[in-house]
Amino acid sequence: PTLLFVKVNRGKEETRRFYACSACRDRKDCNFFQWEDEKLSEARLAAREAYNQRCRPPLSRTQCVERYLRFIELPLSQRKFCQSCQQLLLPDDWGDHREHQVVGDVSVTQLRRPSQLLYPLENKKTNAQYLFADRTCQFLADLLSTLGFRRVLCVGTPRLHELIRLTEPGDKKSNIKSLLLDIDFRYSQFYVEDSFCHYNMFNHHFFDGKAALEVCRAFLQEDKGEGVILVTDPPFGGLVEPLAITFKKLIAMWKEGQSQDESQKELPIFWIFPYFFESRIHQFFPNFCMLDYQVDYDNHALYKHGKTGRKQSPVRIFTNIPPNKIILPTEEGYRFCPLCQRYVSLENRHCEHCGSCTSKDGRKWNHCFLCRKCVKPSWIHCSICNHCAVPDHSCEGTKDGCFICGELDHKRSTCPNIGTCKKANKAVRKQKQRRSNKMKMESRKGQSMNHASVTRKKKRREGAHQYLCS
Ligand code: SAH
Ligand code: ZN
Ligand code: ZN
Ligand code: ZN
Ligand code: ZN
């Protein structure tokens, strides 16, 4: 299943709607394109079906499970993993992988940590697989246990999933069950049906049909829905709206299992996302609170903890759990603000004028009396623009925001989408959107159609933009 988008031409009233892939935000990864009203010939449908079949994972979910069960029965010396194919090998397969990079003696511990055995799929416009640093992952697992959860629905959090399942028997945490929903099919080699579903979180699609959906439903509804939390860390590509719709579908699924008198209850959620998406997330989940905790990653050049001190990560946890229940590690500098009733970053000062701890990025912000709010430490009040901005801004151009994604509160160098978009088309679109004050639509990479020639593509990039249809 795809998503419906709309193509808008600058200065023209008419728009045209089309279907495109929801998971791949780059036409190079998936070039599916179809006008909404397009009639396809039998031949084209057949060709598409053949193509789709070729793109399917080589093994069915059931086959994967069978292979896994056979694999764990093998003696250590026969347990091999092909790094070239990212696949666990059974003795029958060895011949085919003789020329490949194969590692042997795959231990039980390695099998239980697939995120360390597999390489992360960093391809930014599809998987954007950024794995939690150990410190963050341990913090999350401990927090879930402290908060008393017994089941965790991990949507796009393979490393958290494995850590939850890794804890030794006897440990309080070992009572926590976890179900991983992820588009990365490689994980299906390491888990049986009740702990992994191949899933697209941009359109709530279960690749293995009804059986997989039922696994998810049963997981959410177990114990009448008591003790379960949804934890998600989606790619930061910017498709907030379809993600929100998906989470609302999962919430509805959980709600079905509730009795009447519990209708007020909410499914607890941790949505891990950059702080500059706060207003966007609030449009869909107004009661979500953004925690100050900085989520760190292993393989992200920008958000990982350097040897030379901390590189501040812009990634935060958005949640509907009351923030006073969430204790952030004091050894990392977080402290409790009794006025705000939440833990905040060391340098996040409580502003008496704003009545809250106002910093979003972890640095100390300053109150501007003219703007009547706190602003980033590097900003100064500009009397031409009538608000605070970076000192070297150009006064007409201040609304341009980040060159890559168009958001106002960060620069290109700290954008989580860095490298994903060579052209500034997304920023252009954002500006345009802002100008016309139509913020209801979700932006999407303004890529050209797959049949256009390069020059036409260029022209169109300047004039045509694409949005997700609400
Ligand atoms: N920090 C997490 C990983 C987050 S990276 C951890 O360490 O556990 C984003 C994850 O979402 C990846 O595992 C990726 O495979 C998955 N993902 C990307 N696009 C997806 C989609 N459309 N549907 C479901 N999962 C997706
Ligand atoms: Zn191989
Ligand atoms: Zn203030
Ligand atoms: Zn100001
Ligand atoms: Zn100015």
Side-chain angles (χ1 to χ4, degrees):
T2 54
L3 282 178
L4 186 59
F5 294 86
V6 62
K7 189 166 166 294
V8 183
N9 283 298
R10 182 174 288 166
K12 289 202 188 124
E13 277 293 298
E14 90 221 50
T15 58
R16 212 171 159 194
R17 307 209 289 183
F18 64 94
Y19 295 98
C21 182
S22 60
C24 308
R25 280 151 288 133
D26 190 337
R27 283 286 152 73
K28 280 199 239 72
D29 295 331
C30 173
N31 66 2
F32 185 94
F33 178 90
Q34 185 181 322
W35 292 115
E36 189 184 21
D37 52 7
E38 194 173 340
K39 290 271 179 295
L40 295 184
S41 67
E42 289 294 321
R44 261 193 74 193
L45 282 172
R48 179 184 288 170
E49 183 56 29
Y51 176 80
N52 285 349
Q53 288 298 339
R54 278 206 307 282
C55 296
R56 295 245 162 104
L59 299 168
S60 75
R61 189 71 189 90
T62 326
Q63 281 173 314
C64 280
V65 172
E66 277 166 11
R67 287 176 60 95
Y68 172 75
L69 296 174
R70 279 173 60 199
F71 191 91
I72 54 177
E73 290 297 316
L74 294 172
L76 186 64
S77 61
Q78 293 187 24
R79 284 198 228 131
K80 299 181 196 289
F81 173 75
C82 178
Q83 287 179 326
S84 317
C85 305
Q86 294 284 292
Q87 195 192 328
L88 293 174
L89 304 179
L90 293 171
D92 294 347
D93 311 319
W94 294 350
D96 295 339
H97 300 264
R98 202 167 292 133
E99 310 283 304
H100 300 178
Q101 285 277 349
V102 173
V103 291
D105 294 348
V106 177
S107 67
V108 174
T109 316
Q110 282 175 303
L111 279 176
R112 292 170 78 186
R113 301 232 63 184
S115 79
Q116 292 182 342
L117 204 54
L118 302 166
Y119 57 74
L121 303 173
E122 294 191 20
N123 158 339
K124 295 197 179 57
K125 289 200 209 164
T126 306
N127 290 79
Q129 210 158 46
Y130 295 114
L131 299 166
F132 294 131
D134 285 341
R135 207 167 41 89
T136 288
C137 208
Q138 200 61 58
F139 164 76
L140 288 170
D142 290 345
L143 177 60
L144 295 170
S145 156
T146 308
L147 291 171
F149 290 107
R150 296 187 299 274
R151 293 188 315 287
V152 184
L153 183 66
C154 286
V155 182
T157 57
R159 185 160 273 183
L160 179 65
H161 174 68
E162 68 192 31
L163 186 64
I164 291 170
R165 295 164 52 90
L166 200 63
T167 38
E168 295 307 316
D171 191 323
K172 186 168 150 232
K173 273 175 278 174
S174 66
N175 299 325
I176 303 184
K177 286 205 280 183
S178 180
L179 170 62
L180 174 63
L181 310 184
D182 202 287
I183 205 162
D184 185 352
F185 183 74
R186 298 173 308 166
Y187 281 97
S188 63
Q189 301 176 77
F190 300 89
Y191 300 113
V192 296
E193 286 97 336
D194 69 355
S195 48
F196 174 81
C197 300
H198 189 204
Y199 178 75
N200 182 355
M201 66 166 104
F202 287 117
N203 57 6
H204 186 56
H205 177 68
F206 288 86
F207 291 87
D208 297 292
K210 197 151 189 312
L213 179 115
E214 290 309 323
V215 166
C216 178
R217 188 197 306 280
F219 188 84
L220 284 171
Q221 297 183 357
E222 197 178 313
D223 277 347
K224 288 196 179 138
E226 269 297 301
V228 68
I229 180 169
L230 188 170
V231 181
T232 184
D233 185 12
F236 311 145
L239 292 168
V240 173
E241 184 174 3
L243 289 172
I245 292 170
T246 289
F247 304 148
K248 285 183 196 273
K249 284 183 180 154
L250 290 168
I251 293 168
M253 203 185 253
W254 169 80
K255 270 225 156 107
E256 284 165 24
Q258 299 265 293
S259 50
Q260 260 343 59
D261 54 308
E262 286 171 321
S263 57
Q264 297 306 318
K265 278 203 184 165
E266 278 185 51
L267 173 66
I269 296 180
F270 281 165
W271 180 345
I272 297 166
F273 228 47
Y275 71 81
F276 34 81
F277 281 102
E278 187 182 23
S279 61
R280 204 70 187 101
I281 290 181
H282 278 161
Q283 287 179 337
F284 299 96
F285 296 103
N287 68 333
F288 276 24
C289 173
M290 187 177 87
L291 307 178
D292 261 21
Y293 184 78
Q294 300 194 359
V295 174
D296 282 321
Y297 295 89
D298 252 3
N299 57 328
H300 201 294
L302 284 170
Y303 313 154
K304 92 174 159 201
H305 223 63
K307 282 199 188 78
T308 51
R310 190 183 184 113
K311 185 119 196 169
Q312 306 244 21
S313 160
V315 184
R316 303 288 182 270
I317 302 167
F318 293 85
T319 184
N320 51 356
I321 296 173
N324 60 2
K325 289 194 180 158
I326 300 172
I327 301 168
L328 303 187
T330 46
E331 62 278 15
E332 285 175 39
Y334 299 99
R335 59 173 184 92
F336 189 70
C337 172
L339 296 164
C340 293
Q341 282 291 304
R342 67 178 185 110
Y343 277 81
V344 294
S345 298
L346 185 66
E347 293 186 53
N348 191 357
R349 307 279 171 78
H350 190 87
C351 169
E352 57 183 66
H353 309 289
C354 294
S356 64
C357 289
T358 44
S359 168
K360 304 278 183 196
D361 63 9
R363 294 179 298 167
K364 181 182 171 289
W365 284 23
N366 302 320
H367 190 83
C368 170
F369 288 94
L370 294 165
C371 292
R372 294 216 216 99
K373 65 175 184 187
C374 284
V375 296
K376 289 188 176 178
S378 52
W379 289 18
I380 50 156
H381 193 85
C382 168
S383 53
I384 302 167
C385 299
N386 232 339
H387 58 71
C388 284
V390 283
D392 57 353
H393 68 278
S394 82
C395 290
E396 300 102 67
T398 47
K399 286 206 162 60
D400 291 1
C402 167
F403 190 72
I404 293 169
C405 73
E407 289 296 332
L408 290 174
D409 52 6
H410 64 272
K411 289 269 136 202
R412 187 186 167 282
S413 60
T414 52
C415 181
N417 300 310
I418 194 160
T420 65
C421 186
K422 299 277 175 306
K423 302 270 173 222
N425 48 348
K426 203 168 169 188
V428 172
R429 202 163 55 242
K430 270 264 167 74
Q431 288 161 30
K432 200 177 130 193
Q433 237 175 313
R434 214 172 275 129
R435 279 185 206 125
S436 61
N437 253 338
K438 272 194 245 153
M439 292 301 284
K440 46 185 188 296
M441 286 184 295
E442 179 69 47
S443 67
R444 185 189 151 87
K445 296 272 169 300
Q447 288 296 320
S448 322
M449 309 306 114
N450 48 0
H451 52 253
S453 74
V454 181
T455 40
R456 274 168 57 217
K457 266 188 207 166
K458 262 201 188 130
K459 275 199 188 125
R460 219 169 305 155
R461 263 203 204 114
E462 288 145 18
H465 301 293
Q466 298 172 11
Y467 306 94
L468 180 75
C469 285
S470 296

